[in-house]
Amino acid sequence: MYYYIFDIKRCKNKSLVTDIKSYLSALGISGEFTYPSTAYTTEELVELGISKKYNTIVGIGSDDLANSIASHLCGRPEAMGMVPLEASPELCSLIGAKTWREGAENLRYRKITNMKIGKTANGNGFLTDLELGLKGPTEVTIEFRDYLVQAKITKLVISNFNPEIKKIGPDFLDVVFESVAPEQNVISRLSNFLGLSKEKQNASFSLFRGRSLRLFTSSQIPLTVKGQQIAKTPQLIETSDEDLRLIIGKKSSILQ
Amino acid sequence: MENNIDTIIGVNVTLKGNLYNKGSIQVNGSVEGEVKSDENIIIGDSAKIKGPVIAKKIEVSGEVIGTIEAFDKLEINPTGRITGDLKAKSLIIKEGAAFVGKSLMPSADAADITDVKKEEKDKDDETEKEIDEEISKPADKPESVDKLGFFSKK
């Protein structure tokens, strides 16, 4: 019933692998364990699990593993579970499990929610946040359906799920960025430094929502999920047309 | 005004096109196009909008060049500058605000017109009364005027 894809690189000590397996057996939800490697990538393992007629594919690992599994299971009847190891607070909040034990317990109760995932044009998906890997202030243009936005920014996050942002709809991506003045002279910089600027600090933050957007920059910039590059600009980013069936816990923020 | 905001346009951000939200919108940057919300629109000090602004409640602290339509309430703060016509059920213009255009208050139209007509009629009646009283007064003696020399010449 359960097909586990175990990213053992996330286990700081080898005894943790045994501990997790034993705990899952004790909960009565043991199954087949597989491990991503150069021989079998995560994507290939997911396909293998589906072909073996498993109805639940579980990732044991972090955000990169979760996103790879989600990308392949989105739109399919098989459910996805997650046992977090070194996972981001956003992913933990989404699945409602801060520890691997809590993640394992969620699997036993098998509470399933249908959710959209974020997708880039190259087919890579993301469950939580996608970040533009900026090294300094950069001019960007974001094209939404009815309008386009231009700004010089220092940080940009495209969020499919973030507990800190109240979503307006399940199929909307939230785009948050921090803008800077296009050109600042010495007096402006001094004014900012001394806190004399009339512009409030929080007024530099922007928030936009959209089902689909195109992101343009003057040069190619990587789009990353927790440090791992999944695409580059220019890029089309949108929510998936179909749902992912995700196993979550009672503490999941998606339920609030 | 409520702070349940769906879209925030930050300072130094330019938006071109039409922005429509069911929830509230906060503008601190520049917009070239229509800004429309089913809830509130808050236009900050640093904001500049060239285009129509339509919402239930609108608060203006920045610059708007275009028409503004507030189904409920429009508030122009001291730093607010508007060039364009206004349409609002309730309008508050604070001291220091600049407004160039016409204002229309749709819901109060009928009642206001009736009141204005009634006031005008009352005023007219009073004026007629005063004129009648003036006419009925006895005429001034020509001697007093004559002292000034207006009627002395024959």
Side-chain angles (χ1 to χ4, degrees):
Chain A
M1 187 180 168
Y2 287 86
Y3 183 83
Y4 293 96
I5 300 173
F6 202 150
D7 185 5
I8 49 172
K9 293 196 297 283
R10 300 286 176 182
C11 291
K12 283 175 185 169
N13 49 53
K14 289 196 175 176
S15 64
L16 186 60
V17 179
T18 321
D19 290 347
I20 293 170
K21 283 184 174 180
S22 305
Y23 195 71
L24 290 167
S25 295
L27 291 173
I29 49 170
S30 191
E32 184 180 343
F33 284 87
T34 59
Y35 310 92
S37 63
T38 47
Y40 285 103
T41 62
T42 303
E43 292 77 13
E44 287 167 336
L45 290 174
V46 174
E47 289 300 324
L48 204 61
I50 293 167
S51 67
K52 287 183 177 178
K53 309 283 183 199
Y54 282 98
N55 65 2
T56 310
I57 312 288
V58 180
I60 306 174
S62 190
D63 296 61
D64 53 341
L65 181 71
N67 289 329
S68 297
I69 298 171
S71 303
H72 281 75
L73 286 184
C74 189
R76 292 198 58 88
E78 292 84 5
M80 175 187 165
M82 197 67 205
V83 176
L85 287 176
E86 296 179 349
S88 68
E90 291 82 15
L91 181 61
C92 291
S93 177
L94 172 63
I95 59 173
K98 286 180 184 169
T99 63
W100 62 264
R101 277 195 172 82
E102 285 178 356
E105 278 155 24
N106 288 349
L107 297 176
R108 189 173 59 161
Y109 291 110
R110 208 179 156 76
K111 182 179 174 59
I112 295 174
T113 188
N114 288 341
M115 69 174 287
K116 304 283 183 193
I117 68 167
K119 276 200 161 181
T120 54
N122 58 9
N124 286 325
F126 55 100
L127 284 163
T128 55
D129 294 338
L130 178 68
E131 199 167 332
L132 185 62
L134 296 170
K135 287 175 182 165
T138 307
E139 288 277 358
V140 296
T141 301
I142 311 165
E143 192 182 294
F144 292 89
R145 196 186 67 179
D146 297 324
Y147 58 89
L148 65 88
V149 175
Q150 290 172 313
K152 193 169 192 175
I153 61 166
T154 51
K155 192 172 176 66
L156 182 139
V157 175
I158 298 162
S159 179
N160 180 58
F161 171 82
N162 191 315
E164 289 180 31
I165 303 170
K166 190 184 168 191
K167 280 190 92 70
I168 60 165
D171 51 354
F172 278 85
L173 293 169
D174 305 315
V175 182
V176 183
F177 61 82
E178 187 177 9
S179 55
V180 291
E183 282 175 25
Q184 283 195 325
N185 58 29
V186 180
I187 294 168
S188 302
R189 271 184 255 161
L190 181 69
S191 172
N192 286 341
F193 178 74
L194 297 172
L196 301 172
S197 175
K198 283 180 186 174
E199 290 168 3
K200 292 169 193 168
Q201 190 69 31
N202 61 4
S204 61
F205 283 97
S206 294
L207 168 66
F208 294 93
R209 329 268 191 162
R211 290 185 175 92
S212 167
L213 61 105
R214 285 175 199 273
L215 184 60
F216 301 94
T217 50
S218 55
S219 58
Q220 282 199 324
I221 298 174
L223 286 155
T224 61
V225 176
K226 305 300 161 207
Q228 192 194 16
Q229 183 180 322
I230 65 161
K232 275 183 177 180
T233 58
Q235 191 64 237
L236 167 70
I237 303 147
E238 55 194 348
T239 48
S240 59
D241 294 330
E242 291 159 320
D243 286 347
L244 169 74
R245 299 182 73 232
L246 181 70
I247 297 174
I248 54 163
K250 288 174 190 170
K251 294 176 191 170
S252 172
S253 303
I254 208 165
L255 298 171
Q256 287 157 18
Chain B
M1 217 171 259
E2 288 171 32
N3 265 341
N4 192 9
I5 294 164
D6 279 356
T7 298
I8 304 168
I9 303 167
V11 290
N12 305 312
V13 175
T14 305
L15 186 146
K16 289 174 185 172
N18 299 326
L19 175 64
Y20 166 65
N21 259 190
K22 284 185 178 172
S24 298
I25 299 170
Q26 178 155 0
V27 185
N28 297 317
S30 303
V31 179
E32 288 175 29
E34 186 182 75
V35 186
K36 191 176 175 183
S37 166
D38 291 348
E39 292 295 324
N40 309 328
I41 295 177
I42 301 161
I43 301 164
D45 301 12
S46 53
K48 187 172 183 177
I49 300 176
K50 281 184 190 174
V53 181
I54 304 157
K56 196 163 93 177
K57 287 182 186 174
I58 302 170
E59 188 181 320
V60 183
S61 303
E63 188 180 352
V64 179
I65 301 171
T67 56
I68 298 183
E69 188 174 350
F71 303 117
D72 199 352
K73 184 175 148 187
L74 169 63
E75 197 172 330
I76 311 170
N77 289 329
T79 52
R81 286 152 289 147
I82 298 171
T83 309
D85 296 345
L86 310 178
K87 192 175 176 184
K89 194 174 169 186
S90 163
L91 174 64
I92 300 167
I93 302 177
K94 293 184 181 168
E95 194 180 342
F99 163 48
V100 181
K102 289 185 287 184
S103 69
L104 185 69
M105 301 180 80
S107 63
D109 276 358
D112 284 356
I113 289 165
T114 317
D115 289 347
V116 168
K117 279 184 178 172
K118 202 185 167 203
E119 277 175 22
E120 279 174 359
K121 197 173 176 288
D122 291 345
K123 268 187 184 174
D124 289 346
D125 289 347
E126 275 176 27
T127 318
E128 274 175 25
K129 228 180 189 181
E130 281 169 12
I131 292 167
D132 288 345
E133 280 171 8
E134 283 293 318
I135 292 167
S136 62
K137 272 183 189 173
D140 291 334
K141 287 178 181 176
E143 289 82 25
S144 59
V145 181
D146 202 36
K147 279 176 187 172
L148 297 170
F150 288 113
F151 299 105
S152 57
K153 288 178 184 175
K154 285 185 182 176

